[in-house]
Amino acid sequence: MLNLTGSVHVAPDADQLYDELAASLLGIAVESINARGLFHLALSGGSTPEPFYHRLVIDPNLRHFPWLQTHLWIVDERRVPEDDDRNNYRMIRESLADHIPIKTRQLHPMPVMENDPAALYEDQLRQVFGSDDLPRLDFILLGMGADAHTASLFPHSDAIHVTDRWIAVNKGDAVTPPPRVTMTYPLLNAARHLGVLVTGSKKADTLRKIETQLQTAPAPDEMPITGIAPTDGDLVWYLDAPATGIVD
Ligand code: 6PG
């Protein structure tokens, strides 16, 4: 079993993993609403979570998911218009948001085409949370690239070093184009629950490298995902067996 920060949840295949992640998400949503009246969920883009978002729509066990009390935030976004294929919100809308009973005012796409999207998104967080304090999102779903990036925090990129903002624009040579807008470590690590969803054998080597690195110390600049360490929440790695490298 992989030894990673937080806990590791392994399912035999991606299908079962989606079911188990969906069940955890429902449990956390209900618990958040019972405790605070709302559920703040932040979702990532990429190809890995798309079938999971679709599952959230069709799973009969989730028929009563409390979407009416859910706010949907975006972890990171490419600075392209919403109708561009590379836009994360477009994928999240088409696979999930268009098919669930969630109010438009509870959907929070990043205003990536504006001049200062980071400040605008931070304002939205302040407004919805009704406070200037660092917001604690209830559940953040992250993915991971083969280079160990997460959100749009790429190895050696500027946003890795941002400690005084919740949201940052990330661009430059170290960023896979186009330029991005991303949640920063302070906001990500303030979450009550963080899940990292990784499927498939292609990322097994990366997970091994992360495990080895974590035995010494986190190295966010080289492997950004090692900077994910919730300050007062929990972190669960949701892996299918191929991602662990144990089976193929
Ligand atoms: C994005 C992401 C990013 C993603 C990883 C993994 O917008 O691309 O938020 O961090 O999770 O790049 O992407 P895949 O799931 O496509 O491998």
Side-chain angles (χ1 to χ4, degrees):
M1 174 62 82
L2 284 162
N3 189 3
L4 301 167
T5 315
S7 58
V8 179
H9 183 107
V10 182
D13 53 47
D15 234 34
Q16 196 170 321
L17 186 65
Y18 302 147
D19 282 345
E20 292 167 2
L21 175 55
S24 303
L25 191 69
L26 176 60
I28 292 168
V30 169
E31 173 196 289
S32 303
I33 291 163
N34 287 343
R36 290 172 298 281
L38 289 172
F39 176 48
H40 289 282
L41 171 64
L43 297 177
S44 289
S47 55
T48 310
E50 196 173 345
F52 171 66
Y53 299 155
H54 186 56
R55 183 64 59 92
L56 292 179
V57 174
I58 60 169
D59 186 343
N61 297 320
L62 298 188
R63 207 167 287 141
H64 302 295
F65 196 96
W67 294 115
L68 285 176
Q69 288 88 15
T70 298
H71 278 265
L72 188 52
W73 301 92
I74 305 298
V75 170
D76 66 314
E77 187 60 275
R78 292 161 183 79
R79 295 195 79 179
V80 294
E82 207 185 297
D83 59 1
D84 188 296
D85 278 350
R86 296 166 295 173
N87 186 281
N88 282 343
Y89 183 68
R90 174 181 172 163
M91 181 277 279
I92 292 168
R93 196 172 47 68
E94 288 177 351
S95 58
L96 175 67
D98 278 351
H99 314 286
I100 53 175
I102 189 165
K103 300 217 166 67
T104 311
R105 64 182 157 80
Q106 287 163 213
L107 294 170
H108 304 284
M110 284 180 159
V112 283
M113 301 313 285
E114 302 292 334
N115 280 340
D116 193 350
L120 290 173
Y121 212 51
E122 287 172 347
D123 281 348
Q124 242 184 86
L125 283 160
R126 276 193 203 93
Q127 244 172 48
V128 174
F129 278 78
S131 164
D132 289 341
D133 295 339
L134 176 64
R136 297 197 68 192
L137 293 158
D138 293 303
F139 189 96
I140 300 182
L141 184 67
L142 294 172
M144 183 192 80
D147 61 354
H149 83 261
T150 192
S152 282
L153 300 169
F154 290 90
H156 309 294
S157 65
D158 293 346
I160 297 278
H161 306 285
V162 173
T163 54
D164 59 347
R165 297 292 302 263
W166 305 342
I167 307 289
V169 170
N170 207 11
K171 56 183 173 26
D173 290 349
V175 173
T176 308
R180 316 285 183 116
V181 180
T182 185
M183 292 189 174
T184 60
Y185 287 126
L187 180 60
L188 294 169
N189 285 331
R192 293 177 195 274
H193 303 275
L194 279 152
V196 183
L197 177 64
V198 185
T199 58
S201 56
K202 285 197 186 129
K203 290 177 186 164
D205 284 351
T206 310
L207 286 171
R208 289 278 161 215
K209 284 186 198 144
I210 291 165
E211 181 184 42
T212 309
Q213 181 62 50
L214 286 172
Q215 277 158 15
T216 323
D221 214 19
E222 311 285 330
M223 295 187 178
I225 200 145
T226 64
I228 298 298
T231 39
D232 185 25
D234 62 61
L235 166 62
V236 181
W237 296 76
Y238 290 92
L239 312 176
D240 65 355
T244 68
I246 295 164
V247 295
D248 199 4

Short mmCIF file of all heavy atoms in Angstrom, two decimals, residues 43-49 75-78 86 88 141-147 149-154 180 197 203, ligand 1:
data_model
loop_
_atom_site.label_atom_id
_atom_site.label_comp_id
_atom_site.label_asym_id
_atom_site.label_seq_id
_atom_site.Cartn_x
_atom_site.Cartn_y
_atom_site.Cartn_z
N LEU A 43 -14.48 21.85 -7.58
CA LEU A 43 -14.14 20.76 -8.51
C LEU A 43 -13.01 21.15 -9.46
O LEU A 43 -12.88 22.30 -9.87
CB LEU A 43 -15.38 20.36 -9.31
CG LEU A 43 -16.54 19.79 -8.50
CD1 LEU A 43 -17.73 19.50 -9.41
CD2 LEU A 43 -16.14 18.52 -7.73
N SER A 44 -12.24 20.14 -9.83
CA SER A 44 -11.14 20.31 -10.78
C SER A 44 -11.57 19.92 -12.18
O SER A 44 -12.57 19.23 -12.38
CB SER A 44 -9.96 19.39 -10.39
OG SER A 44 -9.35 19.86 -9.22
N GLY A 45 -10.75 20.32 -13.14
CA GLY A 45 -10.96 19.90 -14.53
C GLY A 45 -10.09 18.69 -14.83
O GLY A 45 -9.79 17.90 -13.94
N GLY A 46 -9.70 18.58 -16.08
CA GLY A 46 -8.90 17.42 -16.48
C GLY A 46 -9.80 16.30 -16.95
O GLY A 46 -11.03 16.36 -16.81
N SER A 47 -9.19 15.26 -17.50
CA SER A 47 -10.00 14.16 -18.05
C SER A 47 -10.42 13.16 -16.98
O SER A 47 -11.47 12.52 -17.10
CB SER A 47 -9.21 13.45 -19.15
OG SER A 47 -7.96 13.03 -18.62
N THR A 48 -9.65 13.02 -15.90
CA THR A 48 -9.95 11.99 -14.89
C THR A 48 -11.34 12.14 -14.26
O THR A 48 -12.06 11.15 -14.15
CB THR A 48 -8.86 11.99 -13.79
OG1 THR A 48 -7.59 11.95 -14.43
CG2 THR A 48 -9.01 10.82 -12.84
N PRO A 49 -11.73 13.34 -13.81
CA PRO A 49 -12.99 13.41 -13.07
C PRO A 49 -14.25 13.42 -13.93
O PRO A 49 -15.35 13.28 -13.39
CB PRO A 49 -12.86 14.71 -12.28
CG PRO A 49 -11.95 15.56 -13.09
CD PRO A 49 -11.02 14.63 -13.81
N VAL A 75 -11.66 24.83 -8.99
CA VAL A 75 -10.31 24.81 -8.39
C VAL A 75 -9.33 25.62 -9.24
O VAL A 75 -8.52 26.38 -8.72
CB VAL A 75 -9.81 23.35 -8.26
CG1 VAL A 75 -8.33 23.31 -7.89
CG2 VAL A 75 -10.65 22.59 -7.23
N ASP A 76 -9.42 25.44 -10.55
CA ASP A 76 -8.50 26.16 -11.44
C ASP A 76 -9.09 26.22 -12.84
O ASP A 76 -9.95 25.41 -13.18
CB ASP A 76 -7.11 25.50 -11.47
CG ASP A 76 -7.14 24.12 -12.11
OD1 ASP A 76 -8.04 23.33 -11.76
OD2 ASP A 76 -6.28 23.83 -12.95
N GLU A 77 -8.61 27.18 -13.58
CA GLU A 77 -9.21 27.38 -14.91
C GLU A 77 -8.17 27.92 -15.89
O GLU A 77 -7.24 28.63 -15.50
CB GLU A 77 -10.37 28.39 -14.76
CG GLU A 77 -11.21 28.59 -15.99
CD GLU A 77 -11.88 27.31 -16.49
OE1 GLU A 77 -11.22 26.57 -17.25
OE2 GLU A 77 -13.04 27.05 -16.12
N ARG A 78 -8.34 27.55 -17.12
CA ARG A 78 -7.52 28.11 -18.20
C ARG A 78 -8.13 29.45 -18.62
O ARG A 78 -9.36 29.58 -18.63
CB ARG A 78 -7.49 27.15 -19.39
CG ARG A 78 -6.75 25.87 -19.09
CD ARG A 78 -7.11 24.76 -20.06
NE ARG A 78 -6.43 23.51 -19.71
CZ ARG A 78 -6.83 22.69 -18.74
NH1 ARG A 78 -7.91 22.96 -18.02
NH2 ARG A 78 -6.14 21.60 -18.48
N ARG A 86 -11.17 23.84 -23.93
CA ARG A 86 -10.20 23.68 -22.82
C ARG A 86 -10.71 24.26 -21.51
O ARG A 86 -10.04 24.19 -20.50
CB ARG A 86 -8.88 24.38 -23.21
CG ARG A 86 -8.20 23.74 -24.41
CD ARG A 86 -7.12 24.65 -24.95
NE ARG A 86 -7.69 25.89 -25.48
CZ ARG A 86 -6.98 26.94 -25.91
NH1 ARG A 86 -5.67 26.90 -25.86
NH2 ARG A 86 -7.58 28.03 -26.36
N ASN A 88 -12.45 24.43 -18.15
CA ASN A 88 -12.88 23.43 -17.16
C ASN A 88 -14.36 23.56 -16.81
O ASN A 88 -15.07 22.57 -16.64
CB ASN A 88 -12.07 23.55 -15.86
CG ASN A 88 -10.70 22.95 -15.99
OD1 ASN A 88 -10.44 22.16 -16.90
ND2 ASN A 88 -9.80 23.31 -15.07
N LEU A 141 -12.08 18.67 -4.65
CA LEU A 141 -11.62 17.51 -5.42
C LEU A 141 -10.46 17.95 -6.32
O LEU A 141 -10.61 18.81 -7.18
CB LEU A 141 -12.75 16.94 -6.28
CG LEU A 141 -12.35 15.66 -7.04
CD1 LEU A 141 -12.10 14.51 -6.07
CD2 LEU A 141 -13.42 15.26 -8.05
N LEU A 142 -9.31 17.32 -6.10
CA LEU A 142 -8.11 17.64 -6.89
C LEU A 142 -7.80 16.49 -7.82
O LEU A 142 -8.20 15.34 -7.58
CB LEU A 142 -6.92 17.86 -5.95
CG LEU A 142 -7.00 19.07 -5.02
CD1 LEU A 142 -5.84 19.04 -4.02
CD2 LEU A 142 -6.98 20.36 -5.84
N GLY A 143 -7.05 16.79 -8.87
CA GLY A 143 -6.47 15.77 -9.73
C GLY A 143 -4.97 15.90 -9.64
O GLY A 143 -4.44 16.73 -8.89
N MET A 144 -4.27 15.10 -10.40
CA MET A 144 -2.81 15.18 -10.40
C MET A 144 -2.28 14.87 -11.79
O MET A 144 -2.74 13.92 -12.44
CB MET A 144 -2.25 14.17 -9.40
CG MET A 144 -0.74 14.23 -9.28
SD MET A 144 -0.08 12.83 -8.37
CE MET A 144 -0.09 11.57 -9.63
N GLY A 145 -1.35 15.67 -12.26
CA GLY A 145 -0.71 15.40 -13.55
C GLY A 145 0.48 14.46 -13.36
O GLY A 145 0.95 14.26 -12.23
N ALA A 146 0.98 13.91 -14.46
CA ALA A 146 2.12 12.99 -14.36
C ALA A 146 3.37 13.72 -13.85
O ALA A 146 4.30 13.09 -13.34
CB ALA A 146 2.39 12.37 -15.72
N ASP A 147 3.39 15.06 -13.95
CA ASP A 147 4.52 15.83 -13.40
C ASP A 147 4.27 16.23 -11.94
O ASP A 147 4.97 17.07 -11.40
CB ASP A 147 4.75 17.09 -14.25
CG ASP A 147 3.51 18.00 -14.24
OD1 ASP A 147 2.46 17.61 -13.68
OD2 ASP A 147 3.59 19.11 -14.80
N HIS A 149 1.83 17.95 -10.78
CA HIS A 149 1.12 19.21 -10.53
C HIS A 149 -0.29 18.88 -10.04
O HIS A 149 -0.83 17.80 -10.30
CB HIS A 149 1.10 20.12 -11.77
CG HIS A 149 0.04 19.81 -12.78
ND1 HIS A 149 0.26 19.08 -13.92
CD2 HIS A 149 -1.27 20.17 -12.84
CE1 HIS A 149 -0.85 18.99 -14.63
NE2 HIS A 149 -1.81 19.64 -13.98
N THR A 150 -0.83 19.83 -9.31
CA THR A 150 -2.24 19.73 -8.93
C THR A 150 -2.85 21.11 -9.06
O THR A 150 -2.12 22.11 -9.06
CB THR A 150 -2.41 19.17 -7.50
OG1 THR A 150 -3.79 18.83 -7.31
CG2 THR A 150 -1.97 20.17 -6.43
N ALA A 151 -4.19 21.18 -9.19
CA ALA A 151 -4.82 22.46 -9.57
C ALA A 151 -4.03 23.02 -10.75
O ALA A 151 -3.62 22.24 -11.62
CB ALA A 151 -4.86 23.40 -8.36
N SER A 152 -3.72 24.32 -10.80
CA SER A 152 -2.80 24.81 -11.83
C SER A 152 -1.50 25.26 -11.16
O SER A 152 -0.91 26.28 -11.51
CB SER A 152 -3.41 25.91 -12.68
OG SER A 152 -4.30 25.35 -13.63
N LEU A 153 -1.10 24.48 -10.16
CA LEU A 153 0.18 24.70 -9.48
C LEU A 153 1.20 23.77 -10.15
O LEU A 153 1.26 22.57 -9.83
CB LEU A 153 0.03 24.39 -7.99
CG LEU A 153 -1.00 25.26 -7.25
CD1 LEU A 153 -1.27 24.71 -5.85
CD2 LEU A 153 -0.52 26.71 -7.18
N PHE A 154 1.95 24.32 -11.09
CA PHE A 154 2.91 23.52 -11.86
C PHE A 154 4.29 23.61 -11.22
O PHE A 154 4.63 24.62 -10.60
CB PHE A 154 2.98 24.03 -13.31
CG PHE A 154 1.74 23.75 -14.09
CD1 PHE A 154 0.69 24.65 -14.12
CD2 PHE A 154 1.60 22.55 -14.78
CE1 PHE A 154 -0.47 24.38 -14.82
CE2 PHE A 154 0.44 22.27 -15.50
CZ PHE A 154 -0.59 23.17 -15.51
N ARG A 180 -3.21 30.34 -16.56
CA ARG A 180 -4.24 29.76 -15.68
C ARG A 180 -4.61 30.71 -14.55
O ARG A 180 -3.87 31.61 -14.21
CB ARG A 180 -3.70 28.48 -15.01
CG ARG A 180 -2.93 27.53 -15.92
CD ARG A 180 -3.88 26.78 -16.80
NE ARG A 180 -3.19 25.81 -17.64
CZ ARG A 180 -3.37 24.49 -17.56
NH1 ARG A 180 -4.21 23.98 -16.70
NH2 ARG A 180 -2.73 23.69 -18.39
N LEU A 197 -8.13 12.55 -6.74
CA LEU A 197 -8.61 11.42 -7.56
C LEU A 197 -7.57 11.10 -8.63
O LEU A 197 -7.26 11.96 -9.46
CB LEU A 197 -9.95 11.82 -8.20
CG LEU A 197 -10.58 10.80 -9.16
CD1 LEU A 197 -10.97 9.52 -8.42
CD2 LEU A 197 -11.83 11.41 -9.82
N LYS A 203 -0.04 6.97 -14.06
CA LYS A 203 0.44 7.87 -12.99
C LYS A 203 1.04 7.09 -11.82
O LYS A 203 1.40 7.68 -10.79
CB LYS A 203 -0.68 8.79 -12.53
CG LYS A 203 -1.03 9.82 -13.62
CD LYS A 203 -2.17 10.71 -13.24
CE LYS A 203 -2.57 11.60 -14.41
NZ LYS A 203 -3.89 12.20 -14.20
C1 6PG B 1 -6.83 20.92 -15.01
C2 6PG B 1 -6.67 20.47 -13.60
C3 6PG B 1 -5.40 19.73 -13.34
C4 6PG B 1 -5.72 18.26 -13.53
C5 6PG B 1 -4.48 17.45 -13.82
C6 6PG B 1 -4.79 16.02 -14.18
O1 6PG B 1 -7.54 21.85 -15.23
O2 6PG B 1 -6.26 20.30 -15.92
O3 6PG B 1 -7.38 20.98 -12.64
O4 6PG B 1 -4.78 19.95 -12.14
O5 6PG B 1 -6.38 17.76 -12.42
O6 6PG B 1 -3.81 18.04 -14.91
O7 6PG B 1 -5.42 16.01 -15.41
P1 6PG B 1 -6.00 14.69 -16.06
O8 6PG B 1 -7.10 14.23 -15.19
O9 6PG B 1 -6.45 15.11 -17.41
O10 6PG B 1 -4.86 13.72 -16.09
#
